[in-house]
Amino acid sequence: MPERAATVVGGGIGGLAAAIALHRRGWRVEVLERAPEFTEIGAGISLWPNALRALDVLGLADAVRALGAVEATGGVRDRRGRWLSRTDNDELARRFGHPLVVLHRADLLRVLTEALPADILRSGSEVSTVRDDGHALVVEHAGGESRPDLVVGADGLRSAVRGVLWPDADGPRYAGYSAWRMVTEPLSEPPSEGAATWGRGERFGYTALPGGRMYCFATASLPEGTAADPTATGPTAFDPKATSSSEHAELLRRFGSWPDPVPALLASVPEDAVLRHDLYDLPPLPSFVHGRVALLGDAAHAMTPNLGQGACQALEDAVTLAHCLDGTTDVSAALRSYDLLRRPRTQLITRRSARLGAVGQLAWPPAVLLRDTAARLMPARATLRSMTPVLGWTPPADRVTG
Ligand code: FAD
């Protein structure tokens, strides 16, 4: 088969994974990233068994696991710190082949970038438009123009590729709550297990990272736009350090009296290390593909982080896309298969994540009581079983056919 060329727009987790999957199957790939370097923000990320299975296909699961922490147990607590439900990670691994692994995002990005030749990673290359007139596929970017056989739009929540080729698609939809993320300094005695504590319209979670650090996250129901805008310019321009320290003060005000170990964790977070983002998901697209252009990851199906599945799904997308393109010269037909395999699943998980978020953010006391009671009564085995449709995914190449 003649060498084929792919342009991947966006060098986040999804774009890099797609580039690796295509490169390993003989495609000539370039990754166009608008940021000046390929890196990720200072927070943790949880990778569930389905993501590790996708990373297995890329030959990277062991490298990622070696950089991550695997906690024995974790679960959900109520506002007074009492357990509502618990998950046993060994049981998870027995059932789904891998445990839940949590690592620093920068470490994951490093594993992904190191799996690619450095000269195909083009930072500072913002893509302005993509044209597909059925004959020629043209990508215009800061470094000039590319004419590949395939374009992968992996440019995130506010995808430019989606904006150009899906002009009628609805934009991101605010979830109704904002999130904070942070990593503590190394602790001499980190908590022995992770937990998410559910309050009234607020949640606070923490989970171990390697080296005694903890990755913490919190949410609060708030009007859209109360998070500082990192794109602001002028006299009141965004100052990440100043903003982060005021966010730290806000976290202390909201969560400083929550059950242990929350106050101690907050005390060990550097003031300038707090990230804050409003949370969005994407209304369902009628298709993830347009001719020889495929959307992937958040560009296709941004979801709220309640199931910790956004990046996991981007990794699934990447290996499925490469699988569909294998052994065929008909890129458009292969992308239609990709769409059929990925769209129903990711849109279902997006909805499920939104529903879980709505439950987690409940604030009316009787509803909170009902929620907490239902969570307490749900057997651990039933919780795990309910996760099977999400975590039990197998890569298409592994499927038994015929
Ligand atoms: P992105 O990471 O957004 O990458 C897109 C890239 O494209 C960026 O590098 C951007 O600079 C670049 N780009 C944008 N526009 C252009 C352009 N015009 N030209 C060139 N480049 C461009 N997921 C999990 O699986 N587990 C978790 O625990 C988890 N926790 C989360 C917690 C929070 C609070 C949030 C908000 C999300 C969380 N997610 C989690 C979701 C996960 O972060 C995303 O789903 C994932 O990062 C999406 O990757 P992506 O590559 O599709 O998009």
Side-chain angles (χ1 to χ4, degrees), residues 177-228:
Y177 43 99
S178 214
W180 291 264
R181 284 177 285 176
M182 63 226 103
V183 175
T184 68
E185 298 285 16
L187 304 172
S188 50
E189 284 184 46
S192 57
E193 55 190 335
T197 304
W198 285 1
R200 292 177 187 169
E202 292 176 331
R203 289 175 281 167
F204 192 101
Y206 50 89
T207 181
L209 286 172
R213 291 176 306 163
M214 300 295 291
Y215 163 48
C216 305
F217 44 92
T219 60
S221 298
L222 285 165
E224 183 179 14
T226 46

Side-chain angles (χ1 to χ4, degrees), residues 28 33 49 57 67 72 147 184 207 293 324 332 358 401:
R28 185 156 47 82
E33 166 57 49
V57 177
L67 292 168
R147 291 175 173 266
T184 68
T207 181
V293 180
C324 292
S332 304
T401 52

Side-chain angles (χ1 to χ4, degrees), residues 129-134 136-140 145 147 164-165 293:
T129 198
V130 177
R131 287 194 310 276
D132 180 11
D133 61 12
L137 196 51
V138 181
V139 181
E140 288 179 20
E145 213 177 76
R147 291 175 173 266
V164 172
L165 295 178
V293 180

